[in-house]
Amino acid sequence: MSRVGSVISGARERLGWRKESAEAKEERFYRAGQWQLVWWRFRRHKLAQAAAVVLAIFYIIAAFAEFLSPHDPLYRYKQFAACPPTGIYMRDLSGRFRAPFVYQVVRTRDPETMRPIYKANAEVTAPIKLFVHGSRYRLWGLFDCDLHLFGTEDPETAPLFLLGTDSVGRDVLSRIFFGGRISLTVGLIGVAVSFVLGLILGGISGYFGGAIDEVIQRIIDVLISLPTIPLWMSLAAALPQNWPQLRIYFATTIILSILGWTGLARVVRGKLLSMREEDFVLAARLDGESEWRIITAYMLPGFASYIIVSLTGSLPGMILGETALSFLGIGLRPPTISWGVMLQDAQDIMAVAQLPWVLSPVAFVITAVLMFNFLGDGLRDAADPYAM
Amino acid sequence: MLGNSVLVEIKNLRTYFHLPEGTVRAVDGVDLTVRRGHTLGVVGESGCGKSVTALSLLRLVPSPGRIEGGEILFYRTVEEAGASSALTDVIDLAKLEPNGREMRSIRGNQISMVFQEPMSALIPVRTVGSQITEVITLHQKVSEAEAREIAADMLARVRLPKPRQALDDYPFQLSGGMRQRAVIAMALCCRPKLLIADEPTTALDVTTEAQILDLMRELQKEFGMAIMYITHNLGVIAEMAEMVAVMYLGKVVELTDVRTLFMSPLHPYTRALLKSIPQLTDAVTRGGKKPRLQTIEGMVPDPYSVLPGCTFHPRCPERIPDVCDRVEPGVSEVAPGHSVKCHLYSSP
Amino acid sequence: MASYIVKRIIRMIPQVFLISILAFIIIQLPPGDYLTEHLNRLRQSGRQQDEVEIRRWVQMYGLDRPMYEQYLKWITNIVFRLDFGYTFQWNKSVREVIASRMGYTLAIALFSAVFTWVVALPIGIFVAVKQYSIADYFFTLLGFIGLAVPGFLLAMVVMYVSYTQFGVKVGGLFSVEYQLQPWSWAKFVDLLGHIWIPIVILGINGTAGLIRTMRATMLDELRKQYVLVARAKGLSELKVLLRYPVRIAINPFISTIGWLLPWFFSGGTVVEIVLNLPTAGPALWRALMGQDMYLAGSYILISGTLVAIGSLISDILLAVVDPRVRFGSLEGQ
Ligand SMILES: Nc1ncnc2c1ncn2[C@@H]1O[C@H](COP(=O)(O)OP(=O)(O)OP(=O)(O)O)[C@@H](O)[C@H]1O
Ligand SMILES: [Mg+2]
């Protein structure tokens, strides 16, 4: 990277581009490496920065789901099935202000429909506490622990379900936290796979040219023209039903990246082809550098930022793809928790009408996708070498 | 007497761009006069406001820009049916609605313009013919077929080979020189009283440039139109213009006839500008030893700042301390038809 | 022009060939697919008439032949007899299942495209002309959201809202009473009352995308010299817009025929499932749930081919409106 920077600024000097009287700021601008320029431009994008912060929070939540979620995502509170979100109170019956607390929840049944009805018992209150001891877990499979960031002392009688429970009594919020772990990483791994595939195939295409290039380009043509979700569905449905969860997970990410690499391969090929004509590449060639070194040391760094940006662009599609597939029951299935799997509960609109809070993963999916779009837009503008 | 020969008179025109970073005073008090059938050359460094002046005249200043003040008087002849003499009426273009009916009826009709980048003046997806006939049918009461006739005729006048065929060609099928001829034909086909040519030949090679310049002079004689010729090429000015306005930072600093400009320039900026022309004879007489070109010292100040006094004083070799950097010079008429905006020549 | 079209059609042939190979691979993919299972069951029973049955299947799909022969057999059956194979999930030929449903899918896709154009064209122009206005920010935001919310989630929300707020169960293409009736005017009207929901839901995504493309191209074009030249001719602002920048910005609209189709097939599949429409998507889903791959392969093949035809059409239209494409010279711009 710094090499390209110095080659370019060298060229500038030779061509006399750098004005003698250029101010220090301009000087700094020419000297700055590619990444620094990208960073400077990115800092002007307030929306993209906000999106980056939101996404960082999302990933932190996914990473520390065990600690941050108040309940075990698989534990079924049989007495609290289909329980609406718990109300949080600051003022008790006598009108005194207190630290946030919840009331004890009692279940009755509607005499006609036999549906459970949950009522607060104003007699018994339970404060919401930080760092409470609750269900046991192994954080990252390493540390045994039972500490949760927040919750109530006795969830069996006075529970805290911020987003309610699903039809079998599992805490929706905790499931969303854990689901993020799958839903948000499927895209990352998918992008990593796309990255490798796109770099290799695009590189081959751009480097060798000729017949190989032609074949790869035609394959890309075909893959791009195919309807994505039916193809994903077909491939995911072909996965053996008896595979373990983890293997299904990885297989799904690979399926999702099967189309993702095409765009990147096009970019890499196009850039390789156009950069061959650039002066600094010619200069390097005249200096007797090997072709491989020219590609890896001179050309690749020149558009690495561009690659990463074009990859952020394909993340939202993969997140949505996982959601759609899991929602349809193809690919990831329970007991794996992902946002799409959670939405399976929402397939029947009559059921949703009874417990609308099971739709809350929708908000998380959309937020994540929206934020990735904002971030991608900001990065694209920042990395565009023709901006300014 | 003089009043009748004046076509356009610009008085104290100010056009500013209000940007978030500050206000760009692109045109800041310009005075100009264009006389019927004559050519006014406008010269000056890049960014001095030549194009913006021209766009202001046509009321085509792009969005953050606005005409802040001044007058653009257009002495229009109204040909009355039956009457032998033409009447003149005056309208202030600066007061018109930029996209109103009246301004639009003048644009492309009585005042037309050939722009700086000829290559992109025509849209690639429509035929050359349709883009030319459009302006004819807009301003003249003629049928589509007649408009085609006029267009073909005009293309022949600008010596486009095979003009009839060119009507059905797309712009990218013509060479650069041919395209520029077509653009000129497009500007001329309503026989304007004033043609504004904004560096119409910069993108062309020298031979084509010479041809186009010849052509414009010829057509000027034929149609009796005035030309406002914008360029930073003093050689072209010498060839084309009768009167010359020298612009610096949004102001006209010297206005004179072309002979005086080259023989006895007065404003320090004009003199510096003339010294910066490469002289063929210099290079030859010095036996191949290339002389250094004189450049004007210093940089053009950044466009947002407002300088006190004369805007040229930071670069001026003849500045008078405590005067030039504080008091803005007025315009002094040193001889009939020769005015300078400089303290060196202001009468005490 | 003619040579351009011929060249373009010739380029389509390898594309469709590759699609067919991909579809065939999909059919062969699952180790425990329906046909293998079925044959295993028949073999285990060991009855005489099952042996005949087995031989019939093996014969029909050339299961005893090498892979490329199986492929040839499969593709010739499709090309010459429109025989796409058999779906066990439905107990019908794939052709029967798809024929009755693909029509609706296509109709929804086409009308969604029309919806998209009709809405996106004026908004795209307006937003570009009024860059940085409140309307611009509003539609930009709306566009972002429209792009981020996939159709099926939108469909779920629409269903939820209409059910809880209006007591209306959105879904299907017909009311119950018309479902099995033959076509009549009343049935058609009933269809119109239902079909607009998937059309709008699908259209919103495309619209958001297209407004963004339109805005970007328009902004690009508005900066071009010829717009100023057109204004200098004395044309009114509306004519300047319509005859110049819009003439070029319209191109992406025409290219959209090429990419809207795969988009609608893609997003449409899940929307159709959520809305429970009698279209190809839900049929595909049901078949896939039972790893009944013939239908899936055929779906990929048919939709891929339709998309290839769609992009052929849009390329031809593009050549009609843009002479640069027609004369093979794009270097001008
Ligand atoms: N659309 C615009 N927005 C903001 N500033 C502008 C715009 N157009 C022109 N300017 C500013 O107005 C000033 C004068 O520009 P103008 O185009 O008239 O220069 P010019 O004399 O024609 O130069 P050139 O010889 O390069 O054509 C410049 O400082 C320029 O930055
Ligand atoms: Mg200019």
Side-chain angles (χ1 to χ4, degrees):
Chain A
M1 173 204 85
S2 57
R3 176 179 286 275
V4 172
S6 69
V7 169
I8 290 176
S9 66
R12 273 183 208 292
E13 252 148 14
R14 247 177 286 128
L15 294 170
W17 283 0
R18 248 186 27 209
K19 294 199 184 87
E20 238 52 62
S21 55
E23 296 165 30
K25 189 175 148 200
E26 215 170 333
E27 182 77 33
R28 201 157 64 103
F29 181 83
Y30 284 134
R31 285 273 165 87
Q34 180 192 196
W35 295 103
Q36 206 152 8
L37 284 178
V38 169
W39 174 238
W40 283 346
R41 286 194 291 247
F42 183 70
R43 276 201 320 209
R44 297 202 306 226
H45 248 270
K46 292 285 173 284
L47 196 58
Q49 277 171 50
V53 171
V54 173
L55 285 172
I57 293 174
F58 270 33
Y59 278 100
I60 289 172
I61 289 177
F64 298 96
E66 284 91 346
F67 169 64
L68 293 173
S69 60
H71 302 275
D72 179 341
L74 294 174
Y75 184 77
R76 299 172 180 207
Y77 291 91
K78 297 217 172 49
Q79 68 278 33
F80 296 131
C83 178
T86 316
I88 297 177
Y89 301 87
M90 301 276 284
R91 194 200 286 242
D92 63 16
L93 282 181
S94 56
R96 264 187 317 137
F97 278 103
R98 291 173 37 176
F101 64 93
V102 297
Y103 288 115
Q104 193 186 48
V105 175
V106 233
R107 179 165 77 168
T108 55
R109 277 189 192 278
D110 186 317
E112 276 167 39
T113 60
M114 293 310 284
R115 288 211 182 91
I117 297 175
Y118 295 94
K119 288 216 177 84
N121 174 14
E123 308 288 300
V124 187
T125 63
I128 297 172
K129 289 188 171 166
L130 291 178
F131 302 106
V132 289
H133 295 277
S135 58
R136 302 203 62 82
Y137 57 84
R138 264 185 103 97
L139 187 61
W140 303 335
L142 294 175
F143 317 104
D144 268 318
C145 193
D146 66 349
L147 217 54
H148 295 259
L149 179 65
F150 64 98
T152 51
E153 290 278 323
D154 180 17
E156 295 292 340
T157 60
L160 175 64
F161 299 128
L162 284 180
L163 291 176
T165 63
D166 63 10
S167 54
V168 293
R170 293 173 298 199
D171 177 39
V172 171
L173 182 74
S174 304
R175 289 176 67 73
I176 286 177
F177 284 2
F178 277 86
R181 204 170 259 189
I182 300 282
S183 296
L184 291 171
T185 54
V186 158
L188 285 189
I189 297 183
V191 159
V193 176
S194 301
F195 179 78
V196 175
L197 279 177
L199 218 53
I200 293 176
L201 289 165
I204 291 176
S205 206
Y207 185 76
F208 290 104
I212 299 177
D213 180 31
E214 192 61 25
V215 169
I216 292 180
Q217 290 312 306
R218 289 293 81 77
I219 290 177
I220 291 178
D221 271 349
V222 169
L223 288 180
I224 283 178
S225 73
L226 284 173
T228 324
I229 290 197
L231 185 66
W232 282 342
M233 281 168 72
S234 306
L235 293 173
L239 297 178
Q241 315 260 5
N242 50 4
W243 275 10
Q245 284 184 42
L246 196 65
R247 203 186 296 170
I248 293 266
Y249 168 75
F250 280 113
T252 310
T253 59
I254 289 174
I255 288 172
L256 290 176
S257 47
I258 250 174
L259 298 172
W261 63 272
T262 51
L264 181 63
R266 283 250 152 110
V267 170
V268 172
R269 168 180 179 269
K271 289 268 169 187
L272 280 185
L273 287 180
S274 70
M275 276 200 168
R276 297 186 145 247
E277 316 297 324
E278 296 274 346
D279 284 347
F280 68 88
V281 171
L282 192 67
R285 198 165 285 143
L286 290 178
D287 280 352
E289 298 271 17
S290 77
E291 203 63 19
W292 172 250
R293 249 192 82 71
I294 288 174
I295 290 185
T296 53
Y298 289 76
M299 292 161 88
L300 264 188
F303 58 98
S305 60
Y306 196 88
I307 291 178
I308 287 168
V309 167
S310 86
L311 282 172
T312 16
S314 58
L315 257 163
M318 293 191 188
I319 292 178
L320 287 177
E322 183 277 324
T323 309
L325 288 185
S326 312
F327 168 73
L328 293 176
I330 304 171
L332 299 176
R333 292 182 191 86
T336 307
I337 307 169
S338 82
W339 292 344
V341 170
M342 289 180 73
L343 286 177
Q344 284 179 14
D345 292 346
Q347 272 184 8
D348 180 12
I349 203 66
M350 313 274 264
V352 174
Q354 297 307 318
L355 43 163
W357 51 89
V358 299
L359 279 179
S360 37
V362 171
F364 284 80
V365 173
I366 290 174
T367 309
V369 169
L370 206 54
M371 293 304 132
F372 270 118
N373 280 343
F374 286 149
L375 182 67
D377 260 34
L379 285 179
R380 190 168 15 259
D381 287 354
D384 183 359
Y386 302 107
M388 340 202 25
Chain B
M1 176 62 218
L2 186 84
N4 210 20
S5 74
V6 172
L7 180 64
V8 172
E9 199 175 358
I10 298 178
K11 288 183 184 165
N12 195 23
L13 177 70
R14 283 172 295 125
T15 305
Y16 296 170
F17 287 87
H18 298 283
L19 304 176
E21 296 90 342
T23 300
V24 178
R25 295 158 191 261
V27 173
D28 199 14
V30 159
D31 298 290
L32 283 179
T33 309
V34 184
R35 292 165 63 189
R36 279 175 206 285
H38 285 237
T39 301
L40 172 75
V42 180
V43 279
E45 275 170 296
S46 187
C48 69
K50 305 182 295 286
S51 299
V52 175
T53 305
L55 289 177
S56 305
L57 218 160
L58 280 173
R59 302 303 310 275
L60 285 175
V61 180
S63 171
R66 263 185 44 201
I67 295 187
E68 296 288 326
E71 294 174 4
I72 305 170
L73 301 178
F74 179 45
Y75 294 79
R76 189 159 56 155
T77 42
V78 185
E79 323 250 334
E80 271 184 60
S84 56
S85 69
L87 293 174
T88 329
D89 76 341
V90 191
I91 40 171
D92 184 356
L93 299 184
K95 298 268 178 329
L96 293 182
E97 191 65 32
N99 274 321
R101 189 174 295 275
E102 181 147 31
M103 193 61 234
R104 281 194 276 119
S105 74
I106 293 173
R107 243 184 247 154
N109 189 17
Q110 290 167 338
I111 306 178
S112 58
M113 183 160 174
V114 176
F115 287 89
Q116 219 164 353
E117 296 157 38
M119 292 308 146
S120 51
L122 296 168
I123 193 169
V125 295
R126 290 177 54 192
T127 59
V128 173
S130 79
Q131 297 184 58
I132 298 180
T133 52
E134 179 178 66
V135 63
I136 302 173
T137 50
L138 184 69
H139 296 296
Q140 301 174 21
K141 290 199 184 70
V142 292
S143 69
E144 196 66 37
E146 286 166 322
R148 258 182 87 83
E149 277 313 307
I150 298 175
D153 183 47
M154 196 54 78
L155 285 179
R157 290 268 177 99
V158 297
R159 302 215 201 85
L160 201 74
K162 303 197 191 133
R164 229 156 256 288
Q165 191 192 318
L167 284 179
D168 295 319
D169 278 344
Y170 288 94
F172 55 84
Q173 293 170 298
L174 304 182
S175 72
M178 282 158 79
R179 240 183 277 184
Q180 187 61 315
R181 280 164 202 264
V183 170
I184 291 175
M186 190 161 79
L188 294 183
C189 56
C190 287
R191 309 216 163 198
K193 295 279 170 290
L194 172 64
L195 175 72
I196 304 172
D198 190 353
E199 301 185 38
T201 55
T202 30
L204 304 176
D205 61 85
V206 191
T207 334
T208 320
E209 176 175 34
Q211 285 170 359
I212 299 254
L213 292 180
D214 278 344
L215 180 74
M216 284 178 65
R217 266 195 313 231
E218 204 182 301
L219 294 168
Q220 175 178 32
K221 246 179 247 146
E222 198 180 327
F223 297 164
M225 67 185 174
I227 296 179
M228 180 169 159
Y229 199 100
I230 298 174
T231 179
H232 37 224
N233 185 338
L234 283 165
V236 173
I237 285 286
E239 204 173 326
M240 291 291 290
E242 282 130 7
M243 294 291 286
V244 184
V246 181
M247 283 187 72
Y248 182 75
L249 275 189
K251 294 184 168 65
V252 175
V253 293
E254 186 160 8
L255 179 68
T256 178
D257 63 285
V258 69
R259 230 187 117 71
T260 319
L261 180 90
F262 285 99
M263 302 316 276
S264 51
L266 293 183
H267 198 284
Y269 176 68
T270 315
R271 292 210 290 255
L273 205 61
L274 284 166
K275 273 194 209 128
S276 66
I277 317 178
Q279 303 260 313
L280 202 55
T281 47
D282 281 357
V284 177
T285 50
R286 297 194 187 180
K289 223 176 98 192
K290 300 219 174 74
R292 277 185 76 87
L293 277 183
Q294 298 240 10
T295 53
I296 302 178
E297 231 164 83
M299 301 265 288
V300 182
D302 88 279
Y304 306 117
S305 58
V306 183
L307 286 176
C310 172
T311 44
F312 188 57
H313 83 259
R315 302 168 72 187
C316 183
E318 296 167 60
R319 69 177 158 260
I320 312 166
D322 274 354
V323 176
C324 292
D325 52 0
R326 286 197 303 157
V327 187
E328 189 181 339
V331 178
S332 23
E333 184 143 8
V334 288
H338 187 174
S339 50
V340 192
K341 197 179 170 77
C342 179
H343 283 299
L344 293 174
Y345 308 98
S346 55
S347 35
Chain C
M1 186 73 189
S3 76
Y4 173 81
I5 296 177
V6 170
K7 245 188 273 170
R8 186 60 189 70
I9 290 177
I10 290 175
R11 230 185 66 200
M12 206 179 107
I13 293 172
Q15 194 183 351
V16 173
F17 172 68
L18 280 174
I19 293 173
S20 76
I21 290 194
L22 197 78
F24 185 71
I25 292 175
I26 285 172
I27 292 176
Q28 300 298 326
L29 216 48
D33 68 88
Y34 212 94
L35 183 59
T36 330
E37 294 280 296
H38 186 63
L39 292 183
N40 283 346
R41 234 174 295 128
L42 289 176
R43 280 201 189 96
Q44 267 153 27
S45 77
R47 284 188 316 214
Q48 193 54 47
Q49 64 265 48
D50 287 346
E51 285 297 321
V52 180
E53 176 88 3
I54 290 173
R55 235 173 290 127
R56 195 169 72 80
W57 286 117
V58 169
Q59 181 72 28
M60 196 161 138
Y61 291 115
L63 293 183
D64 50 346
R65 319 296 312 170
M67 220 34 131
Y68 71 91
E69 271 186 45
Q70 284 188 39
Y71 169 77
L72 279 180
K73 196 164 177 94
W74 174 75
I75 197 77
T76 38
N77 275 344
I78 290 174
V79 173
F80 294 107
R81 281 188 273 140
L82 276 182
D83 175 6
F84 289 90
Y86 193 81
T87 154
F88 299 89
Q89 203 77 23
W90 297 81
N91 250 324
K92 280 182 186 168
S93 74
V94 170
R95 180 174 60 182
E96 246 176 288
V97 176
I98 291 215
S100 65
R101 290 164 166 264
M102 209 62 176
Y104 290 124
T105 297
L106 260 181
I108 291 175
L110 286 182
F111 283 111
S112 298
V114 172
F115 172 88
T116 303
W117 290 321
V118 169
V119 176
L121 182 72
I123 295 182
I125 295 174
F126 180 78
V127 159
V129 173
K130 303 259 178 239
Q131 195 190 7
Y132 303 134
S133 66
I134 298 198
D136 184 20
Y137 288 119
F138 175 75
F139 282 113
T140 307
L141 188 71
L142 214 64
F144 262 120
I145 295 173
L147 274 180
V149 181
F152 77 99
L153 292 185
L154 197 62
M156 281 166 68
V157 173
V158 167
M159 283 172 88
Y160 170 72
V161 170
S162 69
Y163 183 72
T164 52
Q165 301 300 310
F166 310 108
V168 183
K169 271 186 85 175
V170 175
L173 281 184
F174 301 101
S175 311
V176 190
E177 59 266 34
Y178 290 109
Q179 227 142 44
L180 296 173
Q181 279 191 11
W183 278 104
S184 64
W185 178 246
K187 182 172 180 175
F188 181 69
V189 172
D190 185 56
L191 172 70
L192 290 186
H194 284 84
I195 204 170
W196 66 271
I197 294 172
I199 287 175
V200 170
I201 287 176
L202 272 180
I204 281 177
N205 269 246
T207 307
L210 207 52
I211 288 178
R212 272 180 65 155
T213 328
M214 184 75 190
R215 178 179 182 272
T217 351
M218 275 296 285
L219 285 178
D220 253 17
E221 293 304 315
L222 281 171
R223 271 194 287 270
K224 298 260 171 79
Q225 182 87 50
Y226 51 72
V227 178
L228 194 58
V229 173
R231 289 207 180 102
K233 284 178 183 175
L235 291 169
S236 70
E237 195 58 25
L238 188 68
K239 278 187 185 154
V240 169
L241 281 181
L242 293 183
R243 292 187 190 173
Y244 291 87
V246 172
R247 265 302 296 270
I248 290 198
I250 204 92
N251 288 357
F253 275 72
I254 290 158
S255 342
T256 46
I257 301 173
W259 59 260
L260 275 182
L261 268 183
W263 197 350
F264 287 143
F265 276 126
S266 178
T269 314
V270 197
V271 172
E272 287 165 7
I273 294 169
V274 170
L275 291 176
N276 192 21
L277 306 183
T279 48
L284 171 71
W285 184 43
R286 212 177 119 184
L288 284 177
M289 293 304 265
Q291 296 204 327
D292 183 354
M293 301 311 278
Y294 273 97
L295 192 104
S298 310
Y299 185 89
I300 296 288
L301 178 64
I302 293 173
S303 56
T305 310
L306 283 176
V307 166
I309 292 172
S311 69
L312 173 74
I313 293 173
S314 79
D315 277 3
I316 290 175
L317 285 180
L318 211 54
V320 171
V321 297
D322 194 335
R324 291 170 297 172
V325 177
R326 195 154 72 234
F327 291 99
S329 125
L330 263 171
E331 86 280 14
Q333 291 292 308

